[in-house]
Amino acid sequence: GDVLMIDEPELNLHPENQRRLARLLARLVNLGVKVVLSTHSDYMIREFNNLLMMGSGKGQRRQRALDLHYDDGEALGSEQVAAYAFTDKGVERIAMDPDEGLLARTFDDVIERMNHANQEIFEAGFGHGA
């Protein structure tokens, strides 16, 4: 019946340590601890998605995850995870796809816009008059 509540645990953590923290939290969930956390970390969401894909056990995913040094104790089932986004419209449940994990598009949209801007600015350096 234990519950661990953490508000933005990724603050000031290097991305690799954010991934490690996500894996530690998954282990706690698998030990029966209910974990409630808020995050703005794409690294943590993506790591949870890796653990969810590993837990789906489809095809060679589980074995590939093990080859990449994940541990069985870190695999998550979709029934163990729920995610919500707080927007100007209220609280919305984030959809989960068995093949992709959490569909946290708000992070993806920002990352795609940032990558596009980076590429545009980079390529401008090779144009005329640069």
Side-chain angles (χ1 to χ4, degrees):
D2 292 329
V3 177
L4 173 63
M5 298 183 79
I6 310 173
D7 182 29
E8 300 193 29
E10 73 276 4
L11 293 179
N12 300 313
L13 288 181
H14 184 278
E16 182 61 32
N17 288 331
Q18 291 181 44
R19 292 182 65 206
R20 289 179 181 149
L21 179 59
R23 292 165 75 170
L24 172 67
L25 294 173
R27 285 178 172 276
L28 290 175
V29 167
N30 286 326
L31 291 171
V33 177
K34 292 175 182 70
V35 176
V36 178
L37 70 96
S38 65
T39 185
H40 288 96
S41 171
D42 183 58
Y43 296 107
M44 289 191 68
I45 296 296
R46 288 178 186 262
E47 193 67 1
F48 285 129
N49 282 346
N50 288 344
L51 302 174
L52 285 160
M53 287 188 290
M54 179 184 174
S56 74
K58 290 188 175 186
Q60 298 296 318
R61 287 183 170 181
R62 188 176 213 94
Q63 185 56 52
R64 186 67 185 128
L66 293 171
D67 293 344
L68 293 168
H69 306 289
Y70 286 86
D71 185 273
D72 269 326
E74 299 164 346
L76 291 170
S78 59
E79 72 284 351
Q80 294 175 284
V81 178
Y84 300 87
F86 293 81
T87 68
D88 56 351
K89 297 175 186 172
V91 180
E92 300 172 5
R93 186 166 185 160
I94 295 175
M96 187 177 317
D97 181 276
D99 293 322
E100 295 181 57
L102 298 167
L103 303 177
R105 300 294 185 222
T106 57
F107 291 129
D108 294 344
D109 293 343
V110 173
I111 291 168
E112 286 176 22
R113 286 194 314 267
M114 187 174 66
N115 287 343
H116 176 75
N118 177 268
Q119 190 64 35
E120 290 287 324
I121 295 167
F122 174 78
E123 289 176 1
F126 295 103
H128 297 290

